[in-house]
């Protein structure tokens, strides 16, 4: 057998074929099969196959895959709430992932520049959207701030008439984007981005959103798996996300004492009322305290026991 093998290797044709086989790129079998059997889901936005998006998408499908899986899984309650609100308001489903781009679905996130909460509002951008004072910072409330963020995005869309521009304006501000459009003479996000009319941060904002959304929504197409918070038939999981009981008070109430009176976990209770930065309701002002669903009657009774008689269950 040995002389035969040596003789084969000496043949030029065999050697060429052998070398060609060695340098062929390797594609994982499961990814190849997935692309053959799973249709690609078009998310309806231009630039999805652009170089800017593709570079980021490859990172989320490889090096950052584990991180992305964890963030999606841990942020499920907020994802579901955002998704449900987007459906109610008939807004693009892709915006579910914008809070991930902003804060990794972390309602307590704070940037070095002072942007705060799930949707990273700055103090100078809350006017008409969120309450902010010495007692209350609604940027930290994931449910109220979600409503504010969607309102802001809708306002941007009405201004620019294009969702990629509306999303960009959420990042860089409507004024800055209007100046860029006027200077460029174009309302096309990709033209503005590729020709130096936007800041580096604004240029990367939309591609990051598109890359994450595409990687997650087309995970099976790409041969990977991410949490979708959906049932086997594609319906959103029923978790009662964002559904609570509320009781309004007109006096200053300590959340720590109220949690003790109710015999509920203080940390959990504080997280439901995270906008109350001093852990008390504002004195001399009506305020809605949020409770776990089904606790309204217990809450009213506990407040009576604490000496608060001007309460109003909702």
């Amino acid at each position: 057998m040995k002389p035969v093998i040596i003789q084969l290797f000496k043949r030029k044709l065999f050697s060429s074929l052998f070398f060609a086989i060695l340098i062929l790129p390797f594609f994982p079998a499961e990814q190849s099969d997935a692309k053959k059997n799973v249709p690609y889901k078009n998310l309806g936005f231009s630039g999805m196959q652009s170089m800017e998006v593709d570079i980021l998408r490859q990172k989320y499908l490889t090096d950052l895959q584990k991180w992305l899986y964890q963030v999606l899984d841990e942020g499920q309650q907020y994802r579901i709430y955002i998704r449900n609100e987007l459906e109610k308001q008939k807004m693009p489903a892709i915006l579910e992932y914008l809070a991930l781009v902003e804060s990794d679905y972390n309602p307590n996130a704070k940037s070095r520049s002072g942007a705060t909460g799930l949707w990273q509002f700055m103090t100078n951008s809350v006017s008409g959207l969120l309450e902010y004072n010495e007692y209350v910072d609604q940027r930290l409330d994931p449910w109220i701030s979600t409503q504010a963020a969607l309102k802001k995005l809708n306002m941007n869309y009405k201004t620019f008439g294009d969702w990629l521009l509306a999303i960009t304006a959420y990042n860089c501000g409507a004024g800055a984007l209007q100046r860029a459009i006027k200077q460029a003479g174009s309302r096309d996000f990709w033209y503005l981005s590729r020709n130096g009319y936007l800041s580096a941060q604004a240029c990367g904002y939309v591609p990051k959103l598109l890359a994450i959304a595409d990687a997650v929504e087309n995970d099976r197409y790409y041969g990977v798996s991410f949490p979708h918070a959906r049932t086997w038939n594609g319906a959103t999981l029923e978790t009662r996300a964002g559904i609570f009981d509320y009781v309004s008070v007109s006096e200053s109430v300590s959340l720590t004492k109220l949690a003790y009176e109710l015999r509920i976990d203080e940390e959990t209770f504080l997280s439901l009322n995270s906008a109350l930065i001093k852990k008390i309701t504002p004195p001399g002002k009506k305020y809605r305290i949020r409770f776990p669903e089904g606790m309204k009657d217990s809450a009213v009774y506990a407040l009576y026991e604490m000496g608060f008689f001007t309460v109003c269950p909702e």
Side-chain angles (χ1 to χ4, degrees):
M1 291 293 290
K2 187 174 181 181
V4 175
I5 295 173
I6 294 173
Q7 196 173 27
L8 285 171
F9 270 94
K10 286 181 179 179
R11 294 180 183 177
K12 186 176 180 180
L13 178 60
F14 184 86
S15 298
S16 299
L17 289 172
F18 184 76
F19 181 74
I21 292 170
L22 284 177
I23 64 171
L24 280 173
F26 172 74
F27 296 100
E30 62 272 18
Q31 184 175 0
S32 177
D33 291 343
K35 287 190 174 184
K36 289 179 181 178
N37 300 323
V38 178
Y40 178 80
K41 179 181 178 181
N42 190 329
L43 301 185
F45 284 87
S46 66
M48 198 64 74
Q49 304 307 320
S50 66
M51 179 184 67
E52 296 95 325
V53 173
D54 188 55
I55 290 172
L56 292 170
R57 177 170 50 227
Q58 291 306 316
K59 289 183 178 181
Y60 293 123
L61 292 172
T62 54
D63 298 345
L64 297 177
Q65 182 185 343
K66 184 177 180 181
W67 168 84
L68 182 55
Y69 187 103
Q70 182 177 351
V71 171
L72 289 165
D73 189 48
E74 293 177 352
Q76 178 174 285
Q77 66 167 320
Y78 305 122
R79 290 178 65 196
I80 291 175
Y81 179 71
I82 295 167
R83 182 187 300 168
N84 290 340
E85 291 305 305
L86 290 172
E87 290 175 359
K88 289 177 187 176
Q89 300 185 39
K90 295 180 171 53
M91 296 174 70
I94 196 175
L95 296 175
E96 172 186 330
Y97 303 100
L98 194 60
L100 189 159
V101 173
E102 286 289 340
S103 68
D104 299 344
Y105 294 125
N106 178 5
N108 299 310
K110 292 185 180 180
S111 73
R112 285 176 291 182
S113 62
T116 298
L118 193 71
W119 292 94
Q120 292 291 279
F121 279 96
M122 297 286 288
T123 55
N124 62 2
S125 65
V126 300
S127 178
L129 295 169
L130 296 167
E131 184 178 354
Y132 177 74
N133 54 53
E134 63 176 315
Y135 291 98
V136 179
D137 186 354
Q138 289 185 333
R139 297 179 301 167
L140 292 166
D141 187 308
W143 301 281
I144 294 177
S145 66
T146 291
Q147 294 296 333
L150 300 193
K151 181 178 179 180
K152 182 67 174 176
L153 286 162
N154 267 322
M155 290 166 57
N156 289 346
Y157 181 71
K158 288 178 181 178
T159 298
F160 297 102
D162 178 273
W163 276 111
L164 291 187
L165 293 179
I167 293 164
T168 304
Y170 189 88
N171 175 257
C172 69
L177 183 57
Q178 285 172 329
R179 289 191 293 273
I181 289 172
K182 184 177 181 180
Q183 185 180 4
S186 172
R187 300 177 67 85
D188 178 73
F189 165 77
W190 297 106
Y191 181 84
L192 296 173
S193 174
R194 291 165 180 165
N195 289 278
Y197 292 102
L198 300 174
S199 67
Q201 184 185 56
C203 286
Y205 192 69
V206 162
K208 184 176 181 180
L209 172 64
L210 296 181
I212 290 173
D214 189 47
V216 178
E217 293 296 319
N218 284 298
D219 58 345
R220 291 183 62 229
Y221 176 81
Y222 294 117
V224 297
S225 178
F226 289 115
H228 286 269
R230 296 185 184 276
T231 61
W232 63 272
N233 64 351
T236 298
L237 292 176
E238 178 55 65
T239 62
R240 309 286 290 173
I243 299 177
F244 305 98
D245 280 348
Y246 293 89
V247 175
S248 293
V249 297
S250 299
E251 302 171 74
S252 186
V253 176
S254 165
L255 297 187
T256 298
K257 292 179 179 178
L258 182 53
Y260 176 81
E261 191 70 31
L262 285 166
R263 303 295 189 268
I264 60 175
D265 180 67
E266 180 182 347
E267 185 176 348
T268 300
F269 188 48
L270 290 175
S271 71
L272 292 180
N273 296 278
S274 51
L276 294 172
I277 51 182
K278 293 188 175 183
K279 301 180 184 180
I280 59 172
T281 60
K285 182 179 179 181
K286 186 177 180 180
Y287 190 89
R288 299 172 77 217
I289 304 176
R290 184 182 287 130
F291 297 89
E293 187 181 14
M295 289 200 68
K296 185 184 300 182
D297 292 342
S298 298
V300 170
Y301 180 79
L303 285 164
Y304 281 158
E305 288 291 301
M306 293 171 63
F308 296 102
F309 305 111
T310 56
V311 300
C312 180
E314 301 178 24

